[in-house]
Amino acid sequence: MQVTETNTAIREETARVFFAIWPDAAAQRRLAELAERLEAVCDGRKVRAENIHLTLVFLGEVSIDRLDALCQAANEVQGTGVRAFNFAVEEVSYWKHNRIAYAGTAKAPQGLLDLVDALQSALSAAGFAFDRQASYIPHITLVRRARCPALPELAGPVVWPVHEWVLVKSEQANGRSVYLPIGRWSLV
Ligand code: ATP
Ligand code: MG
């Protein structure tokens, strides 16, 4: 049998990864309830409770050989002593263009903006490519493929103290996204 160039080419192994913060148990429960209410109004598909998160930086496919360097960049950010902060979900919104219903905040806490900034700088310096949007809009996706004729009111803000951030590997299993934390760093 003749072995072709394509057959012998070594395909680089990658992981789909992103930095994020996760709500604590109480906030997760309330956000999951909110996702359920939103799904009832907007159809679509709610995000499962354990998957509810706030993305800080999405890297996409990264060579597994580069994951150590990625963790090293996060270590550097941790070393600068970024301050812990409270995240407060205060509003429910809907993006028509991508049909995402999400929980957001009226004003992003400075600690969050500092953390995102520090991560973006450290990642750029380490040679990682990612979408650097003009402005970072913190959002917690609750329902995908949504069509929202109206949005439910929040009974009150959902607030949780953010002490750490994680690096997460996103995988597909049986048509669902499964998130596996592969690194964890602390705020001070
Ligand atoms: P699925 O794509 O299966 O519906 P998902 O969007 O949660 O699930 P990923 O696509 O792996 O899973 O995305 C992980 C996180 O990164 C999510 O918070 C997602 O909103 C965010 N994300 C994905 N793609 C981008 C992108 N191009 N820019 C910024 N954030 C992104
Ligand atoms: Mg996605």
Side-chain angles (χ1 to χ4, degrees):
M1 187 179 77
Q2 204 180 4
V3 179
T4 64
E5 196 63 28
T6 338
N7 287 341
T8 52
I10 298 164
R11 194 170 293 144
E12 189 185 37
E13 205 179 326
T14 63
R16 184 178 174 91
V17 292
F18 61 102
F19 286 104
I21 59 178
W22 243 254
D24 66 13
Q28 183 187 64
R29 195 171 52 244
R30 290 189 58 197
L31 290 170
E33 283 165 11
L34 182 59
E36 202 143 312
R37 284 168 58 208
L38 263 172
E39 191 187 47
V41 179
C42 306
D43 287 328
R45 193 153 73 136
K46 68 172 190 263
V47 175
R48 282 174 291 140
E50 68 269 27
N51 276 8
I52 294 175
H53 68 277
L54 173 65
T55 297
L56 300 170
V57 181
F58 176 78
L59 289 130
E61 299 296 332
V62 168
S63 160
I64 57 165
D65 297 340
R66 293 278 287 148
L67 291 180
D68 275 350
L70 194 56
C71 291
Q72 191 53 46
N75 291 345
E76 282 164 23
V77 171
Q78 181 174 252
T80 66
V82 181
R83 296 267 158 208
F85 54 89
N86 286 334
F87 189 80
V89 165
E90 290 153 334
E91 40 190 51
V92 185
S93 308
Y94 170 55
W95 280 319
K96 255 188 184 165
H97 71 281
N98 55 9
R99 295 180 57 193
I100 279 177
Y102 64 96
T105 192
K107 189 175 187 316
Q110 194 56 46
L112 172 62
L113 299 177
D114 290 347
L115 176 57
V116 170
D117 248 22
L119 277 171
Q120 289 186 341
S121 300
L123 294 170
S124 291
F128 289 98
F130 53 89
D131 263 5
R132 196 190 267 268
Q133 286 143 344
S135 66
Y136 170 73
I137 304 169
H139 70 279
I140 299 173
T141 299
L142 294 178
V143 178
R144 294 175 200 283
R145 284 189 258 126
R147 269 187 214 290
C148 304
L151 290 169
E153 285 289 316
L154 268 183
V158 180
V159 187
W160 78 92
V162 180
H163 299 295
E164 61 173 25
W165 80 93
V166 286
L167 177 63
V168 181
K169 191 156 122 182
S170 170
E171 291 183 343
Q172 289 290 315
N174 305 318
R176 308 164 121 193
S177 281
V178 177
Y179 300 143
L180 305 163
I182 55 173
R184 197 174 290 277
W185 293 268
S186 301
L187 299 165
V188 294

